[in-house]
Amino acid sequence: MKHQEKPPEGNLTKPMEFVLLDFADVPHLQWFLFGLFLIIYIMILVGNGTVFLITKLDPALQTPMYLLLDNFSFLEMCNVSVILPRMLMNLWTQRRRISLVACATQMCFFLMLGGTECLLLAIMAYDRYVAICHPLHHSLIMNHNVCVRLVSGSWLGGVPVQIGQTFLTFSLSFCGSNLINHFFCGIPPIIKLACGDTTVNEMMVYIVAMMFATVPFLLILLSYGKVISTILNLPSASSRTKTFSTCSSHLIVVTLFFESATITYLTPKTQDSGGTNKVLSLFYTISTPLFNPMIYSLRNKDVIKALKKLLWKYSTSLIKNESIYRS
């Protein structure tokens, strides 16, 4: 909680722009970081884009689980595109200024997509719970219409809340420095620049984090508690291994995302931990989109089969076109 003495009225300003410091403290690594994050960004787009196309084009993958995976892959591309292009531009040009409107827009989309990710992960856990604990009723409970409604709710559910939280954050009065010690416009680093009492804003951060992170995480734990209980009651070890493999990929993604996100947003800020928060934010912003395609593709025989079929169809089409061109 921040209680900063309010300066004279003349010193209270509404800055027209901020400066994202990102990795300015390591000037000798700017080009290395640019190359590294550019490669990571391309890998995220190619990897998640491939999973997105496969689940869209292959008729065998038109099931609830792959509808959710399709949306999750698209979400990951959107999520990382809110952060990385601006960071790459800053590293390339060394001009780290960002307008007030651009900063608020980035924050709003980051919060909305982050909330959607939490809700979507909870829906995916529920789908695995129904598939394993109630297999005979899975197609009835998680039919196409239900999945579409759940997915639509995850995309739209947090929009008014996150718009309100963004508006509340940028309604603060700012004074002094406009330097944001982060690589994107997040709520905690923006609040640090505000004058006066920010108790309401900090309480809102915790309340919204509880709604869109803690509650979905608890629902995921409840779902997998039921799933593990069901798996342990299966008669053979091979059945237990096969059944657990259907949800292990999702568990890995959940662990990657929630562990670092929870530490970043729900840990009390007892001291200046800007560097630590940057590392943790970078981890949960990039790690899940980066590893999601590998986790789901390399551990999923249906996705690998569909990928091989797509590559074979594409290569055959290229060979035919080349033959026609030569003739």
Side-chain angles (χ1 to χ4, degrees):
M1 186 166 59
K2 175 183 174 184
H3 296 280
Q4 182 173 319
E5 184 180 351
K6 188 174 180 179
E9 190 68 26
N11 293 337
L12 282 174
T13 59
K14 197 72 173 179
M16 297 307 295
E17 62 181 13
F18 293 100
V19 178
L20 290 167
L21 294 180
D22 52 64
F23 305 100
D25 53 338
V26 284
H28 56 291
L29 294 178
Q30 299 299 294
W31 288 109
F32 169 77
L33 292 173
F34 174 82
L36 175 64
F37 291 129
L38 179 61
I39 293 171
I40 289 174
Y41 186 45
I42 293 171
M43 289 174 63
I44 289 172
L45 293 182
V46 171
N48 286 282
T50 302
V51 174
F52 178 78
L53 286 175
I54 290 172
T55 52
K56 279 289 186 187
L57 298 176
D58 197 299
L61 300 182
Q62 304 307 307
T63 62
M65 183 176 77
Y66 293 108
L67 172 65
L68 295 173
L69 178 58
D70 169 61
N71 272 270
F72 191 70
S73 296
F74 179 70
L75 172 66
E76 296 292 51
M77 289 189 289
C78 295
N79 212 340
V80 78
S81 294
V82 173
I83 304 298
L84 281 184
R86 165 68 64 171
M87 187 166 69
L88 288 170
M89 185 181 72
N90 290 345
L91 289 168
W92 175 266
T93 63
Q94 297 299 300
R95 298 172 185 170
R96 295 180 165 84
R97 297 184 181 276
I98 181 171
S99 69
L100 183 71
V101 173
C103 190
T105 302
Q106 186 186 56
M107 177 187 289
C108 190
F109 275 98
F110 175 76
L111 293 173
M112 288 191 296
L113 293 172
T116 300
E117 185 162 2
C118 294
L119 296 175
L120 199 55
L121 286 170
I123 294 170
M124 293 170 79
Y126 177 71
D127 174 68
R128 292 299 82 208
Y129 157 72
V130 175
I132 294 172
C133 300
H134 304 283
L136 298 179
H137 300 92
H138 181 242
S139 59
L140 180 63
I141 297 173
M142 292 296 291
N143 60 60
H144 181 76
N145 289 334
V146 171
C147 284
V148 169
R149 289 171 187 170
L150 288 173
V151 169
S152 300
S154 69
W155 279 94
L156 300 174
V159 171
V161 176
Q162 305 299 6
I163 290 177
Q165 190 173 28
T166 303
F167 178 78
L168 183 65
T169 301
F170 283 89
S171 296
L172 292 167
S173 297
F174 299 94
C175 57
S177 175
N178 65 341
L179 304 179
I180 301 174
N181 187 23
H182 219 294
F183 57 89
F184 70 95
C185 292
I187 293 179
I190 294 291
I191 288 179
K192 287 182 180 179
L193 303 181
C195 301
D197 190 2
T198 59
T199 304
V200 174
N201 299 81
E202 293 177 5
M203 286 299 298
M204 276 298 298
V205 170
Y206 281 99
I207 292 171
V208 173
M210 291 290 288
M211 289 171 55
F212 290 94
T214 306
V215 172
F217 183 65
L218 292 176
L219 292 175
I220 291 170
L221 289 180
L222 180 63
S223 297
Y224 277 110
K226 297 284 188 179
V227 166
I228 292 171
S229 176
T230 301
I231 291 174
L232 292 176
N233 289 326
L234 293 175
S236 65
S238 59
S239 299
R240 289 193 291 270
T241 303
K242 184 178 179 180
T243 306
F244 184 75
S245 67
T246 63
C247 56
S248 57
S249 299
H250 182 252
L251 272 174
I252 295 171
V253 172
V254 167
T255 303
L256 279 174
F257 177 78
F258 277 103
E259 184 177 5
S260 53
T262 302
I263 292 172
T264 302
Y265 283 94
L266 295 182
T267 301
K269 304 298 185 293
T270 55
Q271 57 185 4
D272 185 14
S273 53
T276 303
N277 287 339
K278 269 196 284 190
V279 172
L280 287 172
S281 298
L282 189 65
F283 183 75
Y284 82 81
T285 301
I286 292 178
S287 63
T288 307
L290 179 62
F291 294 119
N292 172 55
M294 292 181 277
I295 291 170
Y296 277 104
S297 301
L298 297 178
R299 300 172 61 86
N300 192 304
K301 293 180 181 178
D302 293 334
V303 174
I304 293 174
K305 183 179 178 181
L307 178 59
K308 289 179 179 178
K309 189 193 300 184
L310 183 65
L311 291 175
W312 173 257
K313 184 177 180 180
Y314 180 70
S315 60
T316 304
S317 177
L318 283 178
I319 292 171
K320 286 182 179 179
N321 290 337
E322 187 177 350
S323 300
I324 295 172
Y325 177 76
R326 287 181 177 179
S327 62

